[in-house]
Amino acid sequence: MKKSIFYHAGCPVCISAEHDIVNLIGLENVEIIHLGNDRSKIEDAEKAGVKSVPALVTPNGNVLHINFGASMEEVKN
Amino acid sequence: MKKSIFYHAGCPVCISAEHDIVNLIGLENVEIIHLGNDRSKIEDAEKAGVKSVPALVTPNGNVLHINFGASMEEVKN
């Protein structure tokens, strides 16, 4: 199965959601990208439809915005 | 493993998220509750910390609010 991608930015809401998602779907099924540390991926995330973090992009391309940590504008600043 | 509980209210955002969650974590790992059809569960959902639907309550009791379909106030009306 194609992996999901979990985008986050290191905020407490993000870390909590990351643990929940990894527990639920398994670390082997999800690629975790920290947009604060890997800023070159911000454009990919936006193209995928990510409006805020944390967000999970599913294997079929849907975006699940989970709780609310930060908007993409905040991530860029 | 204890099941997660996915609360929704039948809105298009809810149904889309339900399909994604079932694909990700497996139907056998999640109980799906439609608060529009099963209004007696609204109180349980609120006690669990659900503020809007769709939402996933994880086995350890965390609430993941996914995208935004409707607030609990809207569900009650």
Side-chain angles (χ1 to χ4, degrees):
Chain A
M1 191 174 82
K2 205 178 149 197
K3 281 191 181 192
S4 299
I5 303 175
F6 182 79
Y7 287 105
H8 75 112
C11 55
V13 169
C14 294
I15 301 298
S16 170
E18 178 186 329
H19 292 164
D20 290 327
I21 291 294
V22 166
N23 286 339
L24 287 169
I25 72 177
L27 190 54
E28 69 280 13
N29 295 318
V30 60
E31 181 181 358
I32 293 167
I33 294 178
H34 186 314
L35 293 175
N37 293 341
D38 194 353
R39 302 183 66 82
S40 66
K41 298 286 175 65
I42 290 176
E43 196 179 335
D44 289 351
E46 287 191 314
K47 279 186 186 160
V50 172
K51 309 283 187 205
S52 63
V53 287
L56 187 73
V57 180
T58 69
N60 59 13
N62 288 346
V63 183
L64 300 179
H65 294 97
I66 299 166
N67 294 337
F68 184 84
S71 69
M72 288 302 279
E73 289 311 306
E74 290 169 306
V75 170
K76 287 184 215 173
N77 291 333
Chain B
M1 191 174 82
K2 207 179 147 195
K3 281 190 180 191
S4 298
I5 304 176
F6 181 80
Y7 287 104
H8 75 113
C11 56
V13 169
C14 294
I15 302 297
S16 171
E18 178 187 328
H19 292 163
D20 290 329
I21 292 293
V22 167
N23 286 338
L24 288 169
I25 71 177
L27 189 54
E28 69 279 15
N29 295 318
V30 58
E31 181 182 357
I32 294 168
I33 294 179
H34 186 314
L35 292 175
N37 294 340
D38 195 353
R39 302 182 68 82
S40 66
K41 299 285 176 64
I42 291 176
E43 196 179 335
D44 289 351
E46 286 191 315
K47 279 185 187 160
V50 172
K51 308 282 188 206
S52 63
V53 286
L56 187 73
V57 180
T58 70
N60 59 12
N62 288 346
V63 183
L64 301 178
H65 294 97
I66 300 167
N67 294 337
F68 183 84
S71 70
M72 288 302 278
E73 289 309 307
E74 290 170 304
V75 170
K76 287 186 214 171
N77 291 332

